[in-house]
Amino acid sequence: CTNDRCIRAFTAHVRLYWFTARNIPPSPVAGHIHTHPTYRSYACGVDSASSGALQPSVRVSRPDTMTTAFYVRPNAIQGDLATLEADEARHASTVLRMQIGDEAFLVDGIGTAYRGTITSIDAKRVTIDVHTRLSNYLEPPQRVILAFGLIKNRQRLEWIIEKGTELGVHSFQPLLTTRAERDRIRIDRLDAIALAAMKQSGRCVLPTIASPLELGQLVDAYPDVKQWLLAHESATEPFD
């Protein structure tokens, strides 16, 4: 849906149900949680692998001591040594002008965040001595799947991925609906947007972006989902 009523319903439910502060340890980075993404249509699924009921939201502030999360490939972590290369190394050395002895915060995209001290740095390679590991840092206790109808406007489509990632979405499922305005997407570009949003928000899980499905295939494609939420512009009863 595109009207303001549906948008307000969506953002209210996201802010109320997607985040919890329980069991989150103190850490240098906790990204600002953005709200008000706009979707033509969407559904939220909660994976059965998730624990417990949906939890209330909280806003976690980002301390001033660290403002950047770096993406480290899982195979670039050997024991207590992590290595940044290519764009991440250039960003640390050239843009941020970090130095040996500085503290760095890393996320591997598969569920772990790391704190460590830079031991060597140049534009091609940064090595970090890891002293702290944080499992599932800033991840909600439920795995949320966001299904949404494809829209024509590329910027709005990319905004769905960006804000959904910042809010804690685990997987994105584009849908081919009757009024969908496109039938294909560039998953590689959307993956890059999700990666940037993951680092910006300090999450440690990189969401997956699936190939588009017909609306009728959605439920069968996710047999482990135990609860679906649907925003509809003609709904008369509020979600309780």
Side-chain angles (χ1 to χ4, degrees):
C1 65
T2 55
N3 65 25
D4 290 341
R5 180 181 177 185
C6 187
I7 293 168
R8 287 195 300 269
F10 170 77
T11 55
H13 293 162
V14 165
R15 296 175 70 180
L16 179 60
Y17 290 109
W18 280 14
F19 281 90
T20 178
R22 294 188 307 178
N23 300 322
I24 295 178
S27 182
V29 173
H32 177 74
I33 299 171
H34 298 274
T35 57
H36 298 290
T38 302
Y39 302 113
R40 181 166 299 273
S41 62
Y42 81 94
C44 295
V46 181
D47 197 306
S48 62
S50 307
S51 60
L54 295 173
Q55 299 295 330
S57 67
V58 295
R59 183 179 297 275
V60 184
S61 62
R62 180 196 293 270
D64 293 334
T65 53
M66 286 189 189
T67 60
T68 301
F70 296 96
Y71 172 62
V72 58
R73 292 178 293 105
N75 60 5
I77 302 173
Q78 303 295 329
D80 291 333
L81 184 66
T83 304
L84 302 179
E85 298 177 335
D87 292 342
E88 298 296 283
R90 284 192 293 273
H91 186 65
S93 62
T94 305
V95 178
L96 299 179
R97 299 185 179 276
M98 299 181 76
Q99 301 176 359
I100 293 174
D102 285 348
E103 289 284 298
F105 181 74
L106 318 174
V107 291
D108 63 8
I110 59 172
T112 306
Y114 306 84
R115 294 172 60 185
T117 305
I118 295 176
T119 57
S120 68
I121 184 169
D122 58 44
K124 295 183 178 180
R125 183 183 180 93
V126 179
T127 56
I128 298 163
D129 181 25
V130 174
H131 55 69
T132 303
R133 286 173 165 80
L134 302 169
S135 179
N136 292 318
Y137 177 66
L138 284 186
E139 293 299 317
Q142 303 84 21
R143 291 194 294 178
V144 177
I145 300 162
L146 179 63
F148 58 94
L150 286 175
I151 54 179
K152 184 176 182 180
N153 188 295
R154 190 187 73 181
Q155 291 182 336
R156 292 184 68 187
L157 176 61
E158 293 173 354
W159 197 39
I160 292 174
I161 302 301
E162 178 186 359
K163 300 309 176 187
T165 299
E166 292 172 352
L167 282 165
V169 171
H170 186 272
S171 304
F172 292 93
Q173 179 56 69
L175 296 176
L176 298 172
T177 60
T178 302
R179 297 182 181 180
E181 298 173 322
R182 62 166 66 207
D183 59 3
R184 64 189 65 183
I185 56 175
R186 285 189 53 187
I187 292 181
D188 58 337
R189 178 175 175 81
L190 298 181
D191 281 339
I193 291 170
L195 176 61
M198 177 190 69
K199 295 193 298 179
Q200 174 66 26
S201 61
R203 291 184 59 190
C204 60
V205 171
L206 179 63
T208 59
I209 302 173
S211 298
L213 288 177
E214 297 285 345
L215 180 58
Q217 299 173 308
L218 177 62
V219 175
D220 290 338
Y222 296 93
D224 292 334
V225 170
K226 61 182 180 181
Q227 183 179 28
W228 289 98
L229 307 177
L230 176 66
H232 197 284
E233 59 187 2
S234 63
T236 58
E237 295 295 328
F239 178 76
D240 187 359

